[in-house]
Amino acid sequence: MQQALWNVRLRDVLTIACPTCGMPRHEACRTLTNQPTRALHRGRTVRYLKMRFALDLVEPHERPVRHRAAPALSGAGLKAIRVPHTHPWRLPMHELTDLIRVSFLDLARVVTAHACGLQRTGLDELLFGPDCIQQSIDALIYAMHDRQIRREVLVLSGGSPEACESLAVQERSVRKRLCEAERHLKEQRVAELTAAGVLPFPPTTDDPHRLARTWLGRYLSGEKEALVREFATGAGVAPAACLHIRSIQEKVTRCIDNGWLVAPLSDAVHELLELDASAFRRRLILDATRNDARDDALCHPLLLNRWRDQLDETLTEIAPSAGNPHTKHLHDITLTSPAARSTGHVERLSSRRRLFAALLQRRSESIRLITTLNDGMSLAERRDPSHELLKQAGARAYDELVRRHPHLYGHIRMRLAQHETRYGRLRITGPRAQLRSQIFDELDCMCRRGLA
């Protein structure tokens, strides 16, 4: 039996270099060190469309010029292309696995059927296992918005109550499954970070001596950073690992330089980095309209935060015309405007709301990717041998600052003493940031008077 062209295998999808992680053809995508991943980029899904429409999988600049005659059919201009399976969840499991990993829209159909009661051995693990849960959450968000907007169109155009109720039932089922999947993803993340020692975060210290050292180091941040570099370099830490991180861009760059993160600066990434705000906005809107052919370069670690911030701004601009009073989620307009409207008005409103929903979906994706990236970088830093050496250098730097600036340290301790209990523990009732700011202003005055 001839294989259907729409049934693309994963090894077919890997036939061009990945634009996000730069892995060559036929190599598994790899973004975090020693961790093959599909989380920080969309993979190579555009190749699915090329295969579905009988196009070459070779990159355009490598494709030789050749003309292929279509199979002879009775109709003029027709091609022998098999249509997608109408019920993809009925495919053999190995075919279904390949299909949902290269076709977002088919994945959305499968997760919707699963949320509405479809049971099949191995389907839970396939859809919500560690390798696919983020993509399934993305598909559930798309399916939830799709059912909601379709139901709204029926209500506003005076459609049958039975059809509206059917869509409402599907929408509630998908929303419930989405909440379960997001909770499961959070549990997976917490378990991984706990096993690595990142969680739980240490509680806020109530030791006045420790807090005074910390605030002195923050006040004299430049001197402290120089001391950390000096002590760490003396202990054998590479100079690149000693740089103080002031922004997420610097952190990503350091992880790339240290080999913890595989994310080369390709021409596509350079092009996006150089775009102005309006051009970048047009690029992300175009990406939001293409679920099965997404712009992989937007998921580059150096672009993730800009992508999320621009999505927030674009959502704020589009919300009024989409009939949404906020940008938190897709508001149900039938609750506030249940009256029937003209066909033209419903179509225009539906188009704007679909764009708004697509941008909401992309924002959720960007936040998940940023979280995954930050977790991965934190785990990579903790696994590196320089991590403990830098902690020791930091402790030595705090001690040296106390030795060099006893007057400043003594003033901080004196101010903190007002908040100590009789057991020598701190009990600061107001915001700590406000108290710290007041103390820093007093230290500025002391330095100006030359008392330090």
Side-chain angles (χ1 to χ4, degrees):
M1 180 178 177
Q2 185 179 4
Q3 181 187 14
L5 287 178
W6 56 267
N7 187 16
V8 186
R9 296 161 296 180
L10 289 181
R11 60 176 176 268
D12 297 324
V13 182
L14 299 178
T15 53
I16 78 165
C18 179
T20 302
C21 67
M23 295 304 291
R25 293 185 296 173
H26 306 295
E27 295 290 334
C29 294
R30 189 179 298 273
T31 304
L32 299 174
T33 304
N34 299 323
Q35 182 180 341
T37 180
R38 295 181 68 250
L40 294 180
H41 49 85
R42 283 88 170 263
R44 306 162 189 186
T45 54
V46 69
R47 267 58 69 189
Y48 168 75
L49 293 183
K50 291 181 179 180
M51 189 63 151
R52 171 175 279 187
F53 293 105
L55 299 177
D56 287 333
L57 282 172
V58 183
E59 292 174 292
H61 65 278
E62 297 180 359
R63 182 185 307 143
V65 177
R66 64 173 184 254
H67 302 281
R68 296 180 299 172
L73 298 174
S74 58
L78 297 180
K79 291 185 179 181
I81 303 299
R82 288 279 298 276
V83 297
H85 201 291
T86 55
H87 300 95
W89 50 86
R90 295 179 179 174
L91 290 169
M93 190 59 72
H94 68 280
E95 292 188 16
L96 179 60
T97 301
D98 283 339
L99 180 64
I100 66 174
R101 290 188 177 179
V102 297
S103 169
F104 174 83
L105 297 179
D106 282 307
L107 172 60
R109 296 167 70 191
V110 175
V111 296
T112 301
H114 180 268
C116 293
L118 173 67
Q119 296 294 326
R120 181 176 176 182
T121 302
L123 192 58
D124 280 1
E125 180 61 26
L126 174 61
L127 295 179
F128 301 104
D131 293 335
C132 200
I133 186 171
Q134 296 211 33
Q135 289 73 26
S136 294
I137 288 175
D138 192 41
L140 285 167
I141 293 175
Y142 167 82
M144 179 181 67
H145 291 160
D146 176 67
R147 297 309 187 276
Q148 178 177 338
I149 294 174
R150 287 166 57 186
R151 175 179 56 79
E152 291 171 350
V153 169
L154 281 177
V155 171
L156 295 179
S157 58
S160 67
E162 294 78 9
C164 295
E165 181 59 26
S166 176
L167 288 172
V169 170
Q170 294 182 34
E171 179 189 341
R172 288 193 294 269
S173 299
V174 171
R175 190 185 303 275
K176 178 181 177 182
R177 192 67 189 90
L178 173 62
C179 294
E180 294 171 354
E182 289 177 333
R183 183 167 58 250
H184 183 52
L185 178 62
K186 181 178 180 180
E187 292 171 353
Q188 285 184 357
R189 174 176 178 251
V190 170
E192 182 180 8
L193 295 177
T194 301
V198 178
L199 293 178
F201 292 124
T204 304
T205 182
D206 62 351
D207 183 348
H209 169 68
R210 185 181 182 87
L211 186 60
R213 290 169 75 249
T214 301
W215 284 6
L216 179 63
R218 186 161 181 169
Y219 181 73
L220 303 172
S221 58
E223 187 175 352
K224 188 205 77 171
E225 292 164 15
L227 287 171
V228 171
R229 285 195 297 270
E230 176 186 346
F231 295 146
T233 304
V237 178
C242 302
L243 297 177
H244 183 72
I245 302 302
R246 301 182 185 275
S247 68
I248 185 62
Q249 302 288 67
E250 292 180 2
K251 184 174 183 178
V252 170
T253 302
R254 186 180 75 165
C255 287
I256 294 175
D257 293 341
N258 290 341
W260 301 336
L261 196 64
V262 181
L265 290 173
S266 63
D267 292 340
V269 175
H270 276 297
E271 178 188 350
L272 281 173
L273 288 171
E274 294 172 0
L275 291 180
D276 58 25
S278 60
F280 193 83
R281 179 178 181 272
R282 290 193 296 270
R283 187 75 170 260
L284 67 87
I285 290 178
L286 179 62
D287 170 77
T289 62
R290 298 177 175 179
N291 269 313
D292 241 339
R294 304 188 188 189
D295 191 345
D296 290 355
L298 284 171
C299 293
H300 191 279
L302 288 173
L303 288 163
L304 282 175
N305 284 270
R306 183 184 181 187
W307 184 30
R308 178 204 57 199
D309 295 341
Q310 187 66 59
L311 283 167
D312 283 333
E313 294 179 11
T314 307
L315 283 166
T316 302
E317 295 174 6
I318 293 179
S321 62
N324 228 67
H326 51 71
T327 62
K328 297 178 182 178
H329 55 80
L330 191 63
H331 176 71
D332 187 354
I333 59 175
T334 62
L335 298 177
T336 54
S337 302
R341 307 185 186 186
S342 66
T343 302
H345 184 274
V346 170
E347 290 178 352
R348 290 192 298 271
L349 181 60
S350 172
S351 176
R352 296 296 291 177
R353 287 182 65 75
R354 283 203 175 274
L355 176 59
F356 186 79
L359 294 171
L360 285 174
Q361 178 190 342
R362 292 297 188 271
R363 185 177 65 178
S364 298
E365 180 190 13
S366 68
I367 292 173
R368 287 193 304 275
L369 297 183
I370 290 171
T371 301
T372 302
L373 175 65
N374 289 336
D375 290 348
M377 290 191 296
S378 298
L379 295 174
E381 287 174 339
R382 293 183 72 88
R383 285 194 297 263
D384 194 81
S386 65
H387 179 70
E388 286 300 324
L389 295 176
L390 284 171
K391 287 179 61 177
Q392 296 171 9
R396 286 185 60 190
Y398 283 123
D399 292 338
E400 180 63 19
L401 287 177
V402 173
R403 188 189 68 80
R404 290 184 181 183
H405 305 279
H407 293 85
L408 298 181
Y409 173 75
H411 182 77
I412 298 175
R413 284 297 309 273
M414 178 192 69
R415 292 286 276 108
L416 290 178
Q418 305 170 19
H419 302 273
E420 291 182 20
T421 66
R422 61 176 180 172
Y423 303 106
R425 301 284 92 181
L426 288 171
R427 184 180 295 169
I428 303 175
T429 55
R432 290 198 174 196
Q434 181 179 349
L435 175 61
R436 183 180 66 240
S437 178
Q438 294 173 358
I439 294 177
F440 283 6
D441 290 342
E442 296 166 3
L443 296 181
D444 289 337
C445 294
M446 292 176 60
C447 291
R448 285 195 294 268
R449 292 198 304 266
L451 299 180

